[in-house]
Amino acid sequence: MTGEGEQGRDPAHNAWPALTTEARDWTSTLDDGRVSVWDRRRLARPYQASVLPSIAGLTPHISGAVQAVVDQATSDVARFDSEVAAMPVPMPAVLLRTESASSSQIEHLTSNARNLAMASLGVGGKQNAELVAANVRAMNEALAVGDDVTSATILAVHRALLASSDPDVAGHLRAEQVWVGSSALSPHDADFVPPHHDRVPATLEDLIVFAGRDDIPALVHAALVHAQFETIHPFVDGNGRTGRVVLHQVLRRRGLTRHTTVPVSAGLLRDPERYFRALTSYRQGDIDAIVEQVAHAALAATLNGRRLAHEVTNLRASWREQITARADSAAWRLADALFAQPVVNAEYVATTLGLSDRGARNAIEVLETSGILRAATSAHRNRVWQAPTVLTAMDAFAGRAGRRSIADASVLPGAARGRGSGRPG
């Protein structure tokens, strides 16, 4: 079946070097008694590992059809970024959280908004939610270390991502062969075998040089940096989530996003299999597919993001009528903070708003009386409160992200509509 933009594509015009392979010896660590004679013979053979071409100095060329989608997405992302900057609520923090959750969901790590917020607060104990919360930390780490893609920033993001769940490999390039698909026994006959680990440092440095260029359209640039990163697969685990953080670093460094995180992963969730096929096409020398997927994902992300922004803005307006407090009350500041962290305890409120414990509890009490916060736990000690309406809006965003088509019912006033972002797959 032909997908978005796949008809009429001329692979010759956008030639990009395909991977080659090299034979590598494989030493099995399995007990011979645990494998069949046939497997022992197969495992004794060399396997084929990918060899990546240098891309540092290459100039990418995409088809006219894909360029049209890129132009539309570029314009829409820039406009959305400006719209978010003018909003009275902390939408950048909201969108960063949604991007982190969507990126994790591509890797089959799912969590609802409540569990993610509980994990971000350090309570709850849901394993998937804790892994998704780590992705939020990785995204925040990327903001803290800067927008340049360097070995140091990549390792810092990976360390933030896996420091809690897999500290032995967090922030370290892999020192072993990894592969995707087929048997867990060995890389023989795998769907994809990334380069041998002794090639990883050089291929990563080549990518970093490519990522530092300024002569490639920003969205094309980000898509290709991401695809090459996933092809290098520099880590034992966490490559997909780290690679999508790197994509955002490129968008920020190139100035396409200045104020917010456009939840591109939410757009990719419309059809993850097509995204994975696009990465395969990239490795075969066709860059159109992955550039097109990222561009369509960006369009879908701005459409869904506008819907969320509309809901959040209306929610905040309704709260202004519900809250009965003095104009200088900390309850107003807490209300806005709930959009970034919709589950709170007294310690979090005190730290975030710079209040005493008593002041934090007073602010919570005002919002609880107003019906904005509700106790999420019954215990008097270590009590946690949640903002149900914010959690509902975030879960609705996640639900739309997983669908091929997003109803364009509500957008910000004057915002452009994301044409084509809801095309059937």
Side-chain angles (χ1 to χ4, degrees):
M1 180 177 179
T2 304
E4 292 167 341
E6 292 175 4
Q7 288 183 333
R9 180 177 292 163
D10 177 11
H13 87 280
N14 69 339
W16 188 260
L19 303 182
T20 57
T21 61
E22 63 180 356
R24 289 280 185 163
D25 291 331
W26 178 255
T27 302
S28 175
T29 58
L30 296 173
D31 183 347
D32 283 350
R34 297 177 56 192
V35 295
S36 67
V37 173
W38 184 87
D39 274 333
R40 284 202 299 273
R41 291 174 179 171
R42 183 171 65 89
L43 297 180
R45 302 195 316 263
Y47 67 94
Q48 296 295 314
S50 295
V51 177
L52 277 62
S54 171
I55 67 167
L58 294 182
T59 300
H61 299 282
I62 57 177
S63 69
V66 173
Q67 185 64 57
V69 180
V70 168
D71 291 344
Q72 180 189 0
T74 299
S75 176
D76 205 37
V77 166
R79 189 161 44 244
F80 179 72
D81 188 65
S82 297
E83 293 162 5
V84 167
M87 292 185 64
V89 293
M91 277 304 293
V94 175
L95 291 168
L96 184 144
R97 182 181 291 264
T98 60
E99 167 61 15
S100 302
S102 297
S103 182
S104 299
Q105 192 172 343
I106 291 173
E107 308 298 330
H108 306 292
L109 297 171
T110 60
S111 174
N112 64 24
R114 179 182 183 276
N115 287 340
L116 172 55
M118 294 278 281
S120 298
L121 196 62
V123 298
K126 300 283 188 181
Q127 182 178 18
N128 271 12
E130 290 172 357
L131 293 173
V132 178
N135 207 9
V136 176
R137 291 194 294 273
M139 291 287 292
N140 279 315
E141 179 67 17
L143 291 174
V145 299
D147 300 335
D148 289 333
V149 178
T150 67
S151 292
T153 60
I154 290 170
L155 294 178
V157 168
H158 190 258
R159 189 177 303 112
L161 179 68
L162 294 184
S164 296
S165 62
D166 203 347
D168 290 342
V169 302
H172 299 289
L173 298 180
R174 59 181 168 89
E176 60 189 79
Q177 183 67 66
V178 295
W179 60 94
V180 178
S182 190
S183 170
L185 297 177
S186 79
H188 297 83
D189 304 319
D191 296 334
F192 172 60
V193 182
H196 189 271
H197 45 278
D198 63 14
R199 288 187 177 271
V200 167
T203 55
L204 197 58
E205 285 303 317
D206 180 76
L207 172 62
I208 288 166
V209 173
F210 180 75
R213 289 169 55 179
D214 294 310
D215 59 335
I216 303 168
L219 205 58
V220 176
H221 198 189
L224 297 181
V225 169
H226 172 65
Q228 185 76 350
F229 183 91
E230 298 308 320
T231 302
I232 297 169
H233 233 65
F235 300 112
V236 172
D237 191 21
N239 292 285
R241 286 166 288 166
T242 303
R244 287 183 287 275
V245 173
V246 170
L247 185 154
H248 286 286
Q249 282 185 289
V250 176
L251 292 178
R252 285 195 303 273
R253 194 190 75 80
R254 297 299 309 280
L256 185 54
T257 54
R258 299 175 183 274
H259 308 290
T260 194
T261 300
V262 176
V264 174
S265 294
L268 294 173
L269 267 175
R270 295 176 310 143
D271 193 342
E273 289 305 315
R274 182 174 286 164
Y275 162 56
F276 295 137
R277 288 198 302 271
L279 289 174
T280 298
S281 294
Y282 172 85
R283 292 160 189 159
Q284 296 168 346
D286 176 14
I287 63 173
D288 263 11
I290 190 61
V291 172
E292 183 181 34
Q293 282 303 296
V294 170
H296 275 294
L299 284 167
T302 58
L303 181 62
N304 199 359
R306 285 189 176 101
R307 177 96 172 255
L308 177 61
H310 179 80
E311 293 169 353
V312 165
T313 301
N314 286 347
L315 190 56
R316 184 179 188 269
S318 70
W319 285 1
R320 309 304 285 184
E321 298 177 1
Q322 289 177 245
I323 299 172
T324 55
R326 299 189 314 274
D328 62 348
S329 171
W332 297 106
R333 289 192 292 140
L334 174 56
D336 281 345
L338 292 175
F339 292 107
Q341 176 59 35
V343 176
V344 298
N345 56 19
E347 180 183 2
Y348 173 86
V349 173
T351 301
T352 302
L353 301 184
L355 302 173
S356 65
D357 179 74
R358 183 66 263 166
R361 292 181 185 278
N362 286 341
I364 290 169
E365 183 179 355
V366 169
L367 297 191
E368 189 174 18
T369 302
S370 302
I372 291 165
L373 281 177
R374 187 175 71 199
T377 56
S378 58
H380 287 286
R381 293 187 61 187
N382 303 317
R383 178 167 286 190
V384 171
W385 290 264
Q386 63 187 28
T389 49
V390 177
L391 295 173
T392 297
M394 289 185 170
D395 283 335
F397 174 94
R400 292 191 298 268
R403 295 199 295 266
R404 301 284 183 90
S405 178
I406 302 170
D408 191 8
S410 303
V411 294
L412 292 174
R417 295 176 184 269
R419 297 187 305 276
S421 59
R423 294 166 66 181

